[in-house]
Short mmCIF file of all heavy atoms in Angstrom, two decimals:
data_model
loop_
_atom_site.label_atom_id
_atom_site.label_comp_id
_atom_site.label_asym_id
_atom_site.label_seq_id
_atom_site.Cartn_x
_atom_site.Cartn_y
_atom_site.Cartn_z
N MET A 1 -238.71 -10.38 18.18
CA MET A 1 -238.60 -9.79 19.50
C MET A 1 -240.00 -9.70 20.10
O MET A 1 -240.90 -9.10 19.53
CB MET A 1 -237.98 -8.40 19.39
CG MET A 1 -237.76 -7.77 20.74
SD MET A 1 -236.71 -6.34 20.61
CE MET A 1 -237.90 -5.05 20.76
N SER A 2 -240.18 -10.25 21.25
CA SER A 2 -241.49 -10.23 21.87
C SER A 2 -241.59 -9.07 22.86
O SER A 2 -240.59 -8.45 23.21
CB SER A 2 -241.75 -11.56 22.58
OG SER A 2 -240.84 -11.70 23.65
N ASP A 3 -242.80 -8.82 23.31
CA ASP A 3 -243.01 -7.73 24.26
C ASP A 3 -242.41 -8.05 25.62
O ASP A 3 -242.11 -7.14 26.40
CB ASP A 3 -244.50 -7.45 24.42
CG ASP A 3 -245.08 -6.82 23.16
OD1 ASP A 3 -244.29 -6.18 22.42
OD2 ASP A 3 -246.29 -6.96 22.91
N SER A 4 -242.23 -9.31 25.95
CA SER A 4 -241.68 -9.66 27.26
C SER A 4 -240.19 -9.33 27.34
O SER A 4 -239.66 -9.14 28.42
CB SER A 4 -241.89 -11.15 27.55
OG SER A 4 -241.19 -11.93 26.59
N ASP A 5 -239.48 -9.23 26.21
CA ASP A 5 -238.07 -8.87 26.21
C ASP A 5 -237.86 -7.37 26.40
O ASP A 5 -236.83 -6.95 26.91
CB ASP A 5 -237.41 -9.28 24.88
CG ASP A 5 -237.31 -10.78 24.74
OD1 ASP A 5 -237.39 -11.47 25.77
OD2 ASP A 5 -237.16 -11.24 23.60
N LYS A 6 -238.79 -6.57 26.00
CA LYS A 6 -238.64 -5.13 26.04
C LYS A 6 -238.44 -4.56 27.45
O LYS A 6 -237.50 -3.80 27.66
CB LYS A 6 -239.82 -4.45 25.34
CG LYS A 6 -239.60 -2.97 25.14
CD LYS A 6 -240.60 -2.40 24.20
CE LYS A 6 -240.37 -0.92 24.11
NZ LYS A 6 -239.92 -0.51 22.82
N PRO A 7 -239.24 -4.93 28.44
CA PRO A 7 -238.99 -4.39 29.78
C PRO A 7 -237.63 -4.80 30.33
O PRO A 7 -236.96 -4.01 30.99
CB PRO A 7 -240.12 -4.97 30.63
CG PRO A 7 -241.20 -5.28 29.67
CD PRO A 7 -240.51 -5.65 28.40
N LYS A 8 -237.19 -6.00 30.00
CA LYS A 8 -235.88 -6.45 30.47
C LYS A 8 -234.78 -5.59 29.86
O LYS A 8 -233.84 -5.18 30.54
CB LYS A 8 -235.66 -7.92 30.10
CG LYS A 8 -234.41 -8.50 30.70
CD LYS A 8 -234.08 -9.89 30.18
CE LYS A 8 -235.14 -10.88 30.54
NZ LYS A 8 -234.77 -12.25 30.12
N LYS A 9 -234.90 -5.30 28.57
CA LYS A 9 -233.91 -4.47 27.89
C LYS A 9 -233.96 -3.04 28.42
O LYS A 9 -232.92 -2.39 28.58
CB LYS A 9 -234.12 -4.50 26.39
CG LYS A 9 -233.75 -5.82 25.78
CD LYS A 9 -233.92 -5.81 24.28
CE LYS A 9 -233.55 -7.16 23.71
NZ LYS A 9 -233.67 -7.21 22.27
N ASP A 10 -235.14 -2.52 28.69
CA ASP A 10 -235.26 -1.17 29.23
C ASP A 10 -234.63 -1.09 30.62
O ASP A 10 -233.95 -0.12 30.94
CB ASP A 10 -236.73 -0.75 29.31
CG ASP A 10 -237.31 -0.46 27.93
OD1 ASP A 10 -236.52 -0.26 26.98
OD2 ASP A 10 -238.55 -0.43 27.81
N ASP A 11 -234.84 -2.12 31.44
CA ASP A 11 -234.25 -2.13 32.77
C ASP A 11 -232.72 -2.17 32.69
O ASP A 11 -232.04 -1.48 33.44
CB ASP A 11 -234.75 -3.34 33.58
CG ASP A 11 -236.22 -3.22 33.94
OD1 ASP A 11 -236.76 -2.10 33.89
OD2 ASP A 11 -236.82 -4.27 34.27
N GLU A 12 -232.21 -2.95 31.76
CA GLU A 12 -230.76 -3.04 31.59
C GLU A 12 -230.19 -1.70 31.13
O GLU A 12 -229.15 -1.26 31.60
CB GLU A 12 -230.41 -4.14 30.59
CG GLU A 12 -228.93 -4.32 30.35
CD GLU A 12 -228.16 -4.78 31.57
OE1 GLU A 12 -228.76 -5.42 32.45
OE2 GLU A 12 -226.95 -4.48 31.63
N PHE A 13 -230.90 -1.04 30.21
CA PHE A 13 -230.46 0.26 29.72
C PHE A 13 -230.43 1.28 30.86
O PHE A 13 -229.46 2.02 31.02
CB PHE A 13 -231.38 0.75 28.60
CG PHE A 13 -231.04 2.12 28.12
CD1 PHE A 13 -229.95 2.33 27.29
CD2 PHE A 13 -231.79 3.22 28.51
CE1 PHE A 13 -229.63 3.60 26.85
CE2 PHE A 13 -231.48 4.49 28.07
CZ PHE A 13 -230.40 4.68 27.24
N LEU A 14 -231.48 1.33 31.66
CA LEU A 14 -231.53 2.27 32.78
C LEU A 14 -230.45 1.97 33.82
O LEU A 14 -229.87 2.88 34.39
CB LEU A 14 -232.91 2.24 33.42
CG LEU A 14 -234.05 2.80 32.55
CD1 LEU A 14 -235.40 2.58 33.22
CD2 LEU A 14 -233.82 4.27 32.25
N LYS A 15 -230.18 0.70 34.03
CA LYS A 15 -229.13 0.32 34.98
C LYS A 15 -227.76 0.80 34.49
O LYS A 15 -226.98 1.36 35.26
CB LYS A 15 -229.13 -1.20 35.14
CG LYS A 15 -228.10 -1.72 36.09
CD LYS A 15 -228.20 -3.23 36.16
CE LYS A 15 -226.89 -3.81 36.63
NZ LYS A 15 -226.83 -5.25 36.49
N GLN A 16 -227.49 0.60 33.19
CA GLN A 16 -226.22 1.06 32.63
C GLN A 16 -226.13 2.58 32.61
O GLN A 16 -225.08 3.16 32.84
CB GLN A 16 -226.06 0.51 31.21
CG GLN A 16 -225.83 -0.97 31.13
CD GLN A 16 -224.48 -1.37 31.64
OE1 GLN A 16 -223.50 -0.64 31.50
NE2 GLN A 16 -224.42 -2.54 32.26
N ALA A 17 -227.24 3.24 32.31
CA ALA A 17 -227.25 4.70 32.21
C ALA A 17 -227.05 5.36 33.57
O ALA A 17 -226.47 6.45 33.66
CB ALA A 17 -228.55 5.18 31.59
N SER A 18 -227.54 4.73 34.63
CA SER A 18 -227.40 5.34 35.95
C SER A 18 -226.08 4.99 36.61
O SER A 18 -225.78 5.49 37.69
CB SER A 18 -228.56 4.89 36.85
OG SER A 18 -228.48 3.49 37.07
N GLY A 19 -225.27 4.19 35.98
CA GLY A 19 -223.97 3.80 36.53
C GLY A 19 -222.97 4.93 36.45
O GLY A 19 -223.24 6.02 35.93
N LYS A 20 -221.79 4.65 36.95
CA LYS A 20 -220.71 5.65 36.96
C LYS A 20 -220.24 5.93 35.54
O LYS A 20 -220.07 5.02 34.74
CB LYS A 20 -219.54 5.13 37.79
CG LYS A 20 -218.42 6.11 37.92
CD LYS A 20 -217.28 5.53 38.72
CE LYS A 20 -216.12 6.51 38.69
NZ LYS A 20 -214.88 5.91 39.12
N GLN A 21 -220.05 7.20 35.23
CA GLN A 21 -219.56 7.58 33.91
C GLN A 21 -218.06 7.36 33.84
O GLN A 21 -217.33 7.69 34.77
CB GLN A 21 -219.86 9.06 33.65
CG GLN A 21 -220.77 9.28 32.51
CD GLN A 21 -220.98 10.75 32.23
OE1 GLN A 21 -220.76 11.60 33.07
NE2 GLN A 21 -221.40 11.04 31.04
N THR A 22 -217.60 6.80 32.74
CA THR A 22 -216.18 6.56 32.57
C THR A 22 -215.59 7.61 31.64
O THR A 22 -216.29 8.22 30.85
CB THR A 22 -215.93 5.17 31.99
OG1 THR A 22 -216.62 5.05 30.76
CG2 THR A 22 -216.43 4.09 32.94
N GLY A 23 -214.29 7.78 31.74
CA GLY A 23 -213.61 8.75 30.91
C GLY A 23 -213.19 8.17 29.58
O GLY A 23 -213.39 6.98 29.29
N LEU A 24 -212.61 9.00 28.75
CA LEU A 24 -212.20 8.60 27.41
C LEU A 24 -211.12 7.53 27.46
O LEU A 24 -211.17 6.55 26.71
CB LEU A 24 -211.71 9.82 26.64
CG LEU A 24 -211.28 9.58 25.21
CD1 LEU A 24 -212.46 9.14 24.37
CD2 LEU A 24 -210.65 10.81 24.63
N VAL A 25 -210.14 7.70 28.34
CA VAL A 25 -209.04 6.74 28.42
C VAL A 25 -209.53 5.38 28.89
O VAL A 25 -209.19 4.35 28.31
CB VAL A 25 -207.92 7.27 29.34
CG1 VAL A 25 -206.83 6.25 29.53
CG2 VAL A 25 -207.34 8.56 28.77
N SER A 26 -210.38 5.36 29.92
CA SER A 26 -210.88 4.09 30.41
C SER A 26 -211.82 3.43 29.39
O SER A 26 -211.86 2.20 29.28
CB SER A 26 -211.58 4.25 31.76
OG SER A 26 -212.68 5.12 31.64
N GLU A 27 -212.56 4.23 28.63
CA GLU A 27 -213.39 3.68 27.56
C GLU A 27 -212.51 3.03 26.49
O GLU A 27 -212.82 1.95 26.00
CB GLU A 27 -214.23 4.78 26.90
CG GLU A 27 -215.42 5.21 27.69
CD GLU A 27 -216.59 4.26 27.54
OE1 GLU A 27 -216.68 3.55 26.53
OE2 GLU A 27 -217.41 4.24 28.46
N PHE A 28 -211.41 3.68 26.15
CA PHE A 28 -210.51 3.15 25.14
C PHE A 28 -209.86 1.86 25.62
O PHE A 28 -209.75 0.89 24.86
CB PHE A 28 -209.46 4.18 24.76
CG PHE A 28 -208.53 3.73 23.68
CD1 PHE A 28 -208.99 3.51 22.41
CD2 PHE A 28 -207.20 3.50 23.96
CE1 PHE A 28 -208.14 3.07 21.40
CE2 PHE A 28 -206.34 3.07 22.97
CZ PHE A 28 -206.81 2.85 21.69
N ILE A 29 -209.44 1.82 26.87
CA ILE A 29 -208.83 0.61 27.42
C ILE A 29 -209.86 -0.51 27.47
O ILE A 29 -209.54 -1.67 27.15
CB ILE A 29 -208.22 0.89 28.80
CG1 ILE A 29 -207.00 1.80 28.64
CG2 ILE A 29 -207.82 -0.40 29.51
CD1 ILE A 29 -206.42 2.31 29.93
N GLY A 30 -211.07 -0.20 27.85
CA GLY A 30 -212.13 -1.20 27.83
C GLY A 30 -212.39 -1.73 26.43
O GLY A 30 -212.63 -2.93 26.23
N PHE A 31 -212.34 -0.84 25.43
CA PHE A 31 -212.50 -1.26 24.04
C PHE A 31 -211.39 -2.21 23.63
O PHE A 31 -211.64 -3.23 22.98
CB PHE A 31 -212.51 -0.03 23.13
CG PHE A 31 -212.40 -0.35 21.67
CD1 PHE A 31 -213.50 -0.82 20.98
CD2 PHE A 31 -211.20 -0.19 20.99
CE1 PHE A 31 -213.40 -1.11 19.62
CE2 PHE A 31 -211.10 -0.48 19.65
CZ PHE A 31 -212.21 -0.95 18.97
N LEU A 32 -210.15 -1.88 24.01
CA LEU A 32 -209.03 -2.74 23.66
C LEU A 32 -209.17 -4.12 24.29
O LEU A 32 -208.90 -5.14 23.66
CB LEU A 32 -207.70 -2.10 24.09
CG LEU A 32 -207.28 -0.83 23.36
CD1 LEU A 32 -205.99 -0.30 23.94
CD2 LEU A 32 -207.12 -1.08 21.89
N LYS A 33 -209.61 -4.16 25.55
CA LYS A 33 -209.79 -5.43 26.24
C LYS A 33 -210.90 -6.26 25.61
O LYS A 33 -210.75 -7.46 25.38
CB LYS A 33 -210.13 -5.21 27.71
CG LYS A 33 -208.96 -4.79 28.55
CD LYS A 33 -209.40 -4.62 29.99
CE LYS A 33 -208.29 -4.12 30.87
NZ LYS A 33 -208.74 -3.90 32.25
N ALA A 34 -212.01 -5.63 25.32
CA ALA A 34 -213.18 -6.35 24.81
C ALA A 34 -212.96 -6.88 23.40
O ALA A 34 -213.40 -7.97 23.07
CB ALA A 34 -214.40 -5.45 24.85
N ASN A 35 -212.28 -6.11 22.57
CA ASN A 35 -212.12 -6.48 21.17
C ASN A 35 -210.75 -7.07 20.85
O ASN A 35 -210.48 -7.36 19.69
CB ASN A 35 -212.37 -5.27 20.27
CG ASN A 35 -213.81 -4.83 20.37
OD1 ASN A 35 -214.71 -5.64 20.25
ND2 ASN A 35 -214.02 -3.55 20.60
N LYS A 36 -209.89 -7.20 21.86
CA LYS A 36 -208.55 -7.79 21.67
C LYS A 36 -207.77 -7.08 20.56
O LYS A 36 -207.19 -7.72 19.69
CB LYS A 36 -208.66 -9.28 21.35
CG LYS A 36 -209.48 -10.08 22.31
CD LYS A 36 -208.69 -10.46 23.53
CE LYS A 36 -209.39 -11.51 24.36
NZ LYS A 36 -210.29 -10.99 25.34
N LYS A 37 -207.79 -5.78 20.58
CA LYS A 37 -207.09 -5.00 19.57
C LYS A 37 -205.94 -4.22 20.22
O LYS A 37 -205.80 -3.01 20.10
CB LYS A 37 -208.04 -4.04 18.86
CG LYS A 37 -209.12 -4.76 18.10
CD LYS A 37 -209.80 -3.85 17.12
CE LYS A 37 -210.93 -4.54 16.44
NZ LYS A 37 -210.55 -5.42 15.38
N TRP A 38 -205.07 -4.95 20.90
CA TRP A 38 -203.95 -4.32 21.60
C TRP A 38 -202.95 -3.68 20.65
O TRP A 38 -202.15 -2.83 21.05
CB TRP A 38 -203.26 -5.34 22.50
CG TRP A 38 -204.11 -5.74 23.64
CD1 TRP A 38 -204.76 -6.91 23.82
CD2 TRP A 38 -204.44 -4.93 24.78
NE1 TRP A 38 -205.47 -6.90 24.99
CE2 TRP A 38 -205.29 -5.69 25.60
CE3 TRP A 38 -204.11 -3.63 25.18
CZ2 TRP A 38 -205.81 -5.21 26.79
CZ3 TRP A 38 -204.62 -3.16 26.38
CH2 TRP A 38 -205.46 -3.94 27.16
N TRP A 39 -202.96 -4.07 19.39
CA TRP A 39 -202.04 -3.49 18.42
C TRP A 39 -202.36 -2.03 18.16
O TRP A 39 -201.52 -1.28 17.62
CB TRP A 39 -202.06 -4.28 17.12
CG TRP A 39 -203.42 -4.42 16.52
CD1 TRP A 39 -204.33 -5.39 16.76
CD2 TRP A 39 -204.05 -3.52 15.61
NE1 TRP A 39 -205.48 -5.17 16.06
CE2 TRP A 39 -205.35 -4.04 15.33
CE3 TRP A 39 -203.65 -2.34 14.99
CZ2 TRP A 39 -206.22 -3.40 14.47
CZ3 TRP A 39 -204.53 -1.72 14.13
CH2 TRP A 39 -205.79 -2.25 13.87
N LEU A 40 -203.55 -1.56 18.53
CA LEU A 40 -203.91 -0.16 18.34
C LEU A 40 -203.22 0.77 19.35
O LEU A 40 -203.02 1.94 19.07
CB LEU A 40 -205.42 0.03 18.46
CG LEU A 40 -206.26 -0.34 17.26
CD1 LEU A 40 -207.73 -0.24 17.60
CD2 LEU A 40 -205.93 0.53 16.09
N ALA A 41 -202.87 0.24 20.51
CA ALA A 41 -202.31 1.07 21.58
C ALA A 41 -201.02 1.78 21.16
O ALA A 41 -200.91 3.01 21.35
CB ALA A 41 -202.12 0.25 22.85
N PRO A 42 -200.01 1.09 20.60
CA PRO A 42 -198.80 1.82 20.20
C PRO A 42 -199.05 2.87 19.12
O PRO A 42 -198.39 3.91 19.10
CB PRO A 42 -197.87 0.73 19.67
CG PRO A 42 -198.43 -0.55 20.12
CD PRO A 42 -199.88 -0.33 20.40
N ILE A 43 -199.99 2.60 18.23
CA ILE A 43 -200.30 3.57 17.17
C ILE A 43 -200.89 4.84 17.77
O ILE A 43 -200.47 5.95 17.43
CB ILE A 43 -201.26 2.95 16.14
CG1 ILE A 43 -200.59 1.77 15.44
CG2 ILE A 43 -201.73 3.98 15.13
CD1 ILE A 43 -201.52 0.95 14.59
N ILE A 44 -201.84 4.68 18.68
CA ILE A 44 -202.47 5.84 19.32
C ILE A 44 -201.46 6.62 20.15
O ILE A 44 -201.43 7.86 20.11
CB ILE A 44 -203.66 5.39 20.19
CG1 ILE A 44 -204.72 4.69 19.33
CG2 ILE A 44 -204.25 6.55 20.96
CD1 ILE A 44 -205.35 5.57 18.28
N VAL A 45 -200.60 5.92 20.89
CA VAL A 45 -199.59 6.59 21.72
C VAL A 45 -198.62 7.36 20.83
O VAL A 45 -198.26 8.51 21.14
CB VAL A 45 -198.85 5.57 22.61
CG1 VAL A 45 -197.63 6.18 23.26
CG2 VAL A 45 -199.80 5.01 23.66
N SER A 46 -198.20 6.78 19.71
CA SER A 46 -197.29 7.46 18.79
C SER A 46 -197.93 8.72 18.21
O SER A 46 -197.28 9.77 18.12
CB SER A 46 -196.89 6.53 17.64
OG SER A 46 -196.24 5.40 18.14
N ILE A 47 -199.18 8.63 17.83
CA ILE A 47 -199.88 9.80 17.29
C ILE A 47 -200.01 10.89 18.35
O ILE A 47 -199.81 12.08 18.05
CB ILE A 47 -201.25 9.39 16.73
CG1 ILE A 47 -201.08 8.54 15.47
CG2 ILE A 47 -202.13 10.61 16.43
CD1 ILE A 47 -202.34 7.92 14.95
N LEU A 48 -200.30 10.51 19.57
CA LEU A 48 -200.41 11.51 20.64
C LEU A 48 -199.07 12.18 20.94
O LEU A 48 -199.01 13.40 21.15
CB LEU A 48 -200.97 10.86 21.91
CG LEU A 48 -202.44 10.46 21.85
CD1 LEU A 48 -202.84 9.70 23.12
CD2 LEU A 48 -203.33 11.67 21.65
N LEU A 49 -197.99 11.40 20.94
CA LEU A 49 -196.66 11.99 21.17
C LEU A 49 -196.26 12.92 20.04
O LEU A 49 -195.67 13.99 20.28
CB LEU A 49 -195.62 10.88 21.34
CG LEU A 49 -195.69 10.11 22.65
CD1 LEU A 49 -194.70 8.96 22.65
CD2 LEU A 49 -195.46 11.03 23.83
N LEU A 50 -196.56 12.56 18.81
CA LEU A 50 -196.28 13.43 17.68
C LEU A 50 -197.08 14.73 17.78
O LEU A 50 -196.56 15.82 17.54
CB LEU A 50 -196.58 12.73 16.36
CG LEU A 50 -196.25 13.49 15.09
CD1 LEU A 50 -194.75 13.75 15.00
CD2 LEU A 50 -196.72 12.71 13.88
N GLY A 51 -198.34 14.62 18.17
CA GLY A 51 -199.16 15.81 18.37
C GLY A 51 -198.62 16.71 19.47
O GLY A 51 -198.64 17.93 19.36
N LEU A 52 -198.14 16.07 20.54
CA LEU A 52 -197.54 16.84 21.64
C LEU A 52 -196.30 17.60 21.17
O LEU A 52 -196.10 18.77 21.53
CB LEU A 52 -197.19 15.91 22.80
CG LEU A 52 -196.58 16.56 24.03
CD1 LEU A 52 -197.60 17.46 24.71
CD2 LEU A 52 -196.08 15.51 24.99
N LEU A 53 -195.48 16.95 20.34
CA LEU A 53 -194.30 17.64 19.80
C LEU A 53 -194.69 18.82 18.92
O LEU A 53 -194.06 19.87 18.95
CB LEU A 53 -193.44 16.66 19.00
CG LEU A 53 -192.52 15.76 19.81
CD1 LEU A 53 -191.83 14.78 18.88
CD2 LEU A 53 -191.50 16.57 20.57
N VAL A 54 -195.72 18.66 18.14
CA VAL A 54 -196.18 19.75 17.26
C VAL A 54 -196.68 20.92 18.10
O VAL A 54 -196.37 22.08 17.83
CB VAL A 54 -197.27 19.25 16.30
CG1 VAL A 54 -197.97 20.40 15.60
CG2 VAL A 54 -196.68 18.29 15.29
N VAL A 55 -197.45 20.63 19.15
CA VAL A 55 -197.98 21.68 20.00
C VAL A 55 -196.85 22.39 20.74
O VAL A 55 -196.81 23.62 20.81
CB VAL A 55 -199.03 21.11 20.98
CG1 VAL A 55 -199.38 22.10 22.06
CG2 VAL A 55 -200.27 20.69 20.23
N LEU A 56 -195.93 21.61 21.29
CA LEU A 56 -194.82 22.23 22.02
C LEU A 56 -193.83 22.94 21.11
O LEU A 56 -193.09 23.81 21.56
CB LEU A 56 -194.09 21.17 22.85
CG LEU A 56 -194.86 20.63 24.06
CD1 LEU A 56 -194.06 19.54 24.74
CD2 LEU A 56 -195.21 21.72 25.03
N GLY A 57 -193.83 22.59 19.83
CA GLY A 57 -192.95 23.26 18.87
C GLY A 57 -193.31 24.71 18.65
O GLY A 57 -192.48 25.51 18.23
N GLY A 58 -194.51 25.09 18.95
CA GLY A 58 -194.94 26.47 18.78
C GLY A 58 -194.88 27.28 20.06
O GLY A 58 -195.34 28.42 20.09
N THR A 59 -194.32 26.72 21.11
CA THR A 59 -194.25 27.43 22.39
C THR A 59 -192.80 27.78 22.72
O THR A 59 -191.89 27.58 21.91
CB THR A 59 -194.82 26.54 23.52
OG1 THR A 59 -194.00 25.40 23.67
CG2 THR A 59 -196.25 26.13 23.21
N ALA A 60 -192.59 28.26 23.92
CA ALA A 60 -191.24 28.61 24.38
C ALA A 60 -190.38 27.37 24.60
O ALA A 60 -189.16 27.48 24.76
CB ALA A 60 -191.32 29.42 25.68
N ALA A 61 -190.97 26.21 24.59
CA ALA A 61 -190.20 24.97 24.76
C ALA A 61 -189.56 24.51 23.46
O ALA A 61 -188.81 23.52 23.45
CB ALA A 61 -191.11 23.88 25.31
N ALA A 62 -189.80 25.20 22.36
CA ALA A 62 -189.30 24.78 21.05
C ALA A 62 -187.78 24.63 21.01
O ALA A 62 -187.28 23.63 20.47
CB ALA A 62 -189.78 25.74 19.97
N PRO A 63 -186.99 25.57 21.54
CA PRO A 63 -185.54 25.38 21.47
C PRO A 63 -185.06 24.10 22.17
O PRO A 63 -184.09 23.48 21.75
CB PRO A 63 -184.98 26.62 22.17
CG PRO A 63 -186.04 27.63 22.06
CD PRO A 63 -187.33 26.87 22.09
N PHE A 64 -185.75 23.70 23.20
CA PHE A 64 -185.36 22.49 23.91
C PHE A 64 -185.74 21.24 23.12
O PHE A 64 -185.05 20.23 23.17
CB PHE A 64 -186.00 22.45 25.30
CG PHE A 64 -185.61 23.63 26.15
CD1 PHE A 64 -186.53 24.62 26.44
CD2 PHE A 64 -184.33 23.76 26.64
CE1 PHE A 64 -186.20 25.70 27.21
CE2 PHE A 64 -183.96 24.84 27.40
CZ PHE A 64 -184.90 25.83 27.68
N ILE A 65 -186.83 21.31 22.38
CA ILE A 65 -187.27 20.17 21.57
C ILE A 65 -186.35 20.01 20.36
O ILE A 65 -185.96 18.90 20.00
CB ILE A 65 -188.72 20.35 21.13
CG1 ILE A 65 -189.64 20.29 22.34
CG2 ILE A 65 -189.13 19.29 20.12
CD1 ILE A 65 -191.07 20.64 22.07
N TYR A 66 -185.95 21.13 19.76
CA TYR A 66 -185.12 21.05 18.57
C TYR A 66 -183.74 20.47 18.88
O TYR A 66 -183.12 19.86 18.02
CB TYR A 66 -184.97 22.43 17.91
CG TYR A 66 -186.27 22.95 17.35
CD1 TYR A 66 -186.63 24.28 17.53
CD2 TYR A 66 -187.12 22.13 16.66
CE1 TYR A 66 -187.82 24.75 17.01
CE2 TYR A 66 -188.32 22.58 16.14
CZ TYR A 66 -188.66 23.91 16.32
OH TYR A 66 -189.82 24.37 15.82
N THR A 67 -183.25 20.61 20.09
CA THR A 67 -181.95 20.03 20.45
C THR A 67 -182.02 18.51 20.52
O THR A 67 -180.98 17.85 20.46
CB THR A 67 -181.45 20.60 21.80
OG1 THR A 67 -182.40 20.30 22.81
CG2 THR A 67 -181.23 22.08 21.72
N LEU A 68 -183.22 17.94 20.67
CA LEU A 68 -183.34 16.48 20.69
C LEU A 68 -183.09 15.88 19.32
O LEU A 68 -182.69 14.73 19.21
CB LEU A 68 -184.75 16.08 21.19
CG LEU A 68 -185.12 16.47 22.60
CD1 LEU A 68 -186.58 16.11 22.87
CD2 LEU A 68 -184.23 15.77 23.60
N PHE A 69 -183.34 16.66 18.27
CA PHE A 69 -183.18 16.14 16.91
C PHE A 69 -181.94 16.71 16.29
O PHE A 69 -181.44 16.43 15.36
CB PHE A 69 -184.42 16.49 16.06
CG PHE A 69 -185.68 15.91 16.61
CD1 PHE A 69 -186.59 16.71 17.31
CD2 PHE A 69 -185.95 14.57 16.46
CE1 PHE A 69 -187.74 16.16 17.82
CE2 PHE A 69 -187.12 14.01 16.98
CZ PHE A 69 -188.01 14.82 17.65
#
């Protein structure tokens, strides 16, 4: 790595750092697009839905959830 590459890399870093901040969901979608790992999406969605059921199971919505099963 030469010294002439360093300012270019620093400029690129500053340009990316000053850009718009993205959220967790958009970062995850960008990751899926860039790495072609679309098979991860159903797994993550299933885990999130299961977590939602666990959280709602401890609230007043529990009787309505239990009737689904």
Side-chain angles (χ1 to χ4, degrees):
M1 184 167 104
S2 65
D3 290 334
S4 63
D5 291 340
K6 190 167 177 114
K8 187 188 297 185
K9 289 182 180 181
D10 288 343
D11 291 341
E12 180 65 26
F13 176 76
L14 292 174
K15 180 180 157 190
Q16 290 289 327
S18 64
K20 183 181 174 195
Q21 243 184 339
T22 57
L24 181 66
V25 175
S26 61
E27 283 280 335
F28 182 67
I29 291 172
F31 169 77
L32 292 177
K33 285 181 183 177
N35 294 311
K36 308 278 192 272
K37 297 196 184 281
W38 291 106
W39 55 271
L40 280 174
I43 296 170
I44 299 297
V45 169
S46 300
I47 291 172
L48 290 174
L49 288 175
L50 184 63
L52 181 67
L53 279 175
V54 168
V55 168
L56 289 177
T59 65
F64 301 108
I65 294 172
Y66 294 137
T67 59
L68 297 175
F69 300 103

